[in-house]
């Protein structure tokens, strides 16, 4: 198995209250800097929204033969009309994460977000992401140019793409094949910083992850009306190769 399990965390994180790079950050209620749900007049909210840096409290734990289920909610109110909560289900062969948004206000809200999964791999630049062949995508490294994926995606350097697809993705790093299914999402984000990683990660450490994200982006924003809910989910499981 890849050292560290399925999810990667930088060995040199920045001090709190900075965001910890790794795991599955909760990007909510907007994705990247698309601040359609930002309530500040000048759209000055933080990158990826306030949820990823917020304190979350554990509301319930259910242990059973099939694994463990955790329920979490923010310790403080993050939005005047929207309330998020997270559900995590895990066992030795499956990890399922849900980010559920409830609209408790009075006006429609445009919602985007992501489960920004940092997946542990042997070598980022030797990975294949299967299942996106033929999908249309926005290339953020080329000014959001629209392109079509030709064949399966082979990762050979930095990339930042938003695929318009709800298909399952198989991440093959040469040693294992990890199946990535998504719920409530028509955007699959694939990201790696290449040879110039962020300041909290060395180039060598960055070769140990690839982000494949369940997301709602500018390609598939969600309009929530009062009383409605939206579930954004991702399910990681080992592909049975027997």
């Amino acid at each position: 198995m890849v050292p560290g399990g399925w999810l990667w965390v930088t060995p040199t994180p920045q001090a709190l209250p900075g965001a910890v790079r790794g795991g599955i950050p909760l990007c909510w209620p907007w994705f990247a800097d698309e601040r359609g749900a930002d309530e500040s007049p000048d759209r000055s909210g933080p990158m990826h929204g306030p949820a990823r840096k917020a304190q979350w409290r554990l509301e319930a734990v259910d242990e059973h033969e099939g694994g463990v289920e955790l329920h979490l909610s923010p310790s403080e109110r993050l939005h005047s009309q929207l309330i998020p909560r997270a559900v995590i289900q895990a066992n030795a062969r499956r990890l399922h994460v849900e980010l559920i948004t409830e609209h408790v206000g009075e006006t429609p809200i445009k919602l985007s977000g992501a489960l920004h999964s940092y997946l542990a791999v042997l070598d980022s630049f030797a990975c294949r992401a299967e299942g996106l062949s033929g999908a249309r995508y926005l290339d953020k490294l080329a000014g959001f140019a629209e392109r079509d994926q030709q064949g399966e995606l082979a990762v050979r350097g930095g990339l930042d793409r938003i695929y318009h697809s709800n298909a399952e993705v198989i991440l093959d790093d040469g040693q294992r094949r990890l199946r990535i299914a998504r719920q409530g999402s028509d955007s699959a984000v694939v990201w790696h910083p290449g040879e110039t990683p962020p300041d909290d990660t060395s180039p060598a450490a960055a070769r140990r992850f690839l982000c494949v994200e369940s997301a709602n982006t500018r390609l598939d924003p969600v309009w929530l009306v009062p009383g409605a809910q939206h579930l954004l989910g991702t399910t990681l499981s080992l592909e049975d190769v027997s």
Side-chain angles (χ1 to χ4, degrees):
M1 299 295 289
V2 175
W6 295 5
L7 300 177
W8 174 93
V9 177
T10 181
T12 54
Q14 59 181 317
L16 297 176
V20 176
R21 187 173 305 282
I24 305 181
L26 306 178
C27 303
W28 181 96
W30 60 82
F31 170 76
D33 58 356
E34 299 169 9
R35 296 165 185 169
D38 184 1
E39 295 183 289
S40 59
D42 60 356
R43 297 293 191 262
S44 61
M47 186 76 163
H48 287 313
R52 69 184 183 132
K53 290 187 178 182
Q55 294 290 323
W56 289 68
R57 60 175 175 260
L58 185 62
E59 301 280 6
V61 179
D62 180 19
E63 296 185 64
H64 46 79
E65 291 184 358
V68 63
E69 180 170 305
L70 310 176
H71 292 252
L72 304 99
S73 64
S75 298
E76 298 180 357
R77 191 68 178 266
L78 301 181
H79 193 282
S80 65
Q81 298 194 78
L82 304 178
I83 295 178
R85 56 190 174 92
V87 178
I88 303 171
Q89 300 169 342
N91 59 34
R93 295 191 61 83
R94 180 179 180 272
L95 173 64
H96 176 71
V97 179
E98 298 176 354
L99 181 58
I100 302 166
T101 303
E102 180 181 5
H103 193 325
V104 297
E106 298 181 350
T107 59
I109 294 289
K110 184 181 180 181
L111 174 71
S112 61
L115 297 171
H116 197 319
S117 305
Y118 284 80
L119 304 176
V121 297
L122 285 176
D123 183 348
S124 305
F125 300 160
C127 289
R128 283 169 53 91
E130 303 173 5
L132 297 170
S133 179
R136 193 79 168 162
Y137 68 89
L138 300 179
D139 190 340
K140 295 179 70 175
L141 299 184
F144 288 91
E146 294 189 29
R147 294 170 176 163
D148 293 318
Q149 177 64 40
Q150 304 295 323
E152 303 294 359
L153 173 60
V155 181
R156 297 295 180 264
L159 74 168
D160 194 351
R161 301 178 181 181
I162 306 173
Y163 286 88
H164 198 186
S165 170
N166 59 13
E168 289 189 351
V169 176
I170 302 294
L171 176 56
D172 188 337
D173 72 350
Q175 181 165 330
R176 69 176 174 200
R177 291 170 60 83
L178 191 64
R179 183 179 297 274
I180 306 155
R182 307 189 315 283
Q183 300 81 39
S185 163
D186 286 327
S187 290
V189 178
V190 183
W191 175 75
H192 191 276
E195 299 288 359
T196 56
D199 292 341
D200 59 2
T201 304
S202 69
R207 293 285 291 260
R208 294 292 189 174
F209 79 81
L210 181 70
C211 287
V212 182
E213 310 169 33
S214 175
N216 298 120
T217 69
R218 64 176 64 186
L219 296 179
D220 64 328
V222 176
W223 279 97
L224 273 186
V225 297
Q229 293 188 353
H230 175 66
L231 186 155
L232 177 65
T234 190
T235 305
L236 309 179
S237 59
L238 291 174
E239 186 179 47
D240 187 359
V241 295
S242 60

